[in-house]
Amino acid sequence: MATLEHHGETVHSIGELPPVGATLPAFTLTGADLVDFGPQIAHGRRLVLNIFPSIDTRVCALSVRRFNELASSLPNTVVLCVSADLPMASSRFCAAEGLTDVITGSCFRSSFGTDFGLTLIDGPMRGLLSRAVIVTDADGTIRYTQQVANISTEPDYDAALAALG
């Protein structure tokens, strides 16, 4: 269980992120087309998972915009933005913002949050995902993780990019 902060309140996630050096666990997310997919979406490419509570919050929206901006300059890399939002909400946000360099995935019908230790178990956002970033190499080995200690702040983009080498 990770201890985090959200607007000055202590909250907890259900577990811990998988460790650096481990193979990225299998997962299932649902795309904007309501078709399920997993880590094979990155097949042979590096993967950046930008994980957050909801696209309808300011900081989450900022992180999706920033990772979209970064994604356009990251060769051989897929940026996957993950939340419990319905797939249509994330798709609508990206369309309205003109964001075309990230892929969105919803965990609304999967165990992603539990499997990755990210489901919030208390506080006003319980049931949603905490803010985190996971970076893998092209072989699916985890090279960087960050579970953001204060959910109300953006992730460390520079550290995530540095992990891509």
Side-chain angles (χ1 to χ4, degrees), residues 61-73:
L62 285 171
S63 74
V64 173
R65 287 183 196 108
R66 180 68 176 133
F67 272 115
N68 182 77
E69 178 185 320
L70 296 169
S72 65
S73 65

Side-chain angles (χ1 to χ4, degrees), residues 42-140:
H43 184 72
R45 297 177 287 175
R46 303 175 303 179
L47 178 63
V48 176
L49 293 165
N50 172 35
I51 305 160
F52 51 89
S54 175
I55 196 66
D56 290 322
T57 65
R58 184 185 69 79
V59 175
C60 299
L62 285 171
S63 74
V64 173
R65 287 183 196 108
R66 180 68 176 133
F67 272 115
N68 182 77
E69 178 185 320
L70 296 169
S72 65
S73 65
L74 299 173
N76 196 40
T77 304
V78 172
V79 177
L80 177 57
C81 297
V82 181
S83 72
D85 292 318
L86 291 176
M88 294 73 79
S90 297
S91 177
R92 184 176 52 250
F93 173 83
C94 288
E97 296 279 328
L99 308 180
T100 59
D101 292 319
V102 294
I103 298 170
T104 59
S106 173
C107 68
F108 85 108
R109 61 181 177 202
S110 77
S111 60
F112 179 91
T114 300
D115 297 345
F116 281 76
L118 294 171
T119 300
L120 294 168
I121 58 173
D122 53 18
M125 294 197 332
R126 75 180 166 277
L128 297 178
L129 302 176
S130 66
R131 186 174 318 286
V133 176
I134 301 172
V135 176
T136 73
D137 62 20
D139 296 322

Side-chain angles (χ1 to χ4, degrees), residues 27-49:
F27 62 81
T28 300
L29 297 170
T30 304
D33 56 2
L34 297 178
V35 173
D36 291 344
F37 66 90
Q40 71 277 7
I41 198 163
H43 184 72
R45 297 177 287 175
R46 303 175 303 179
L47 178 63
V48 176
L49 293 165

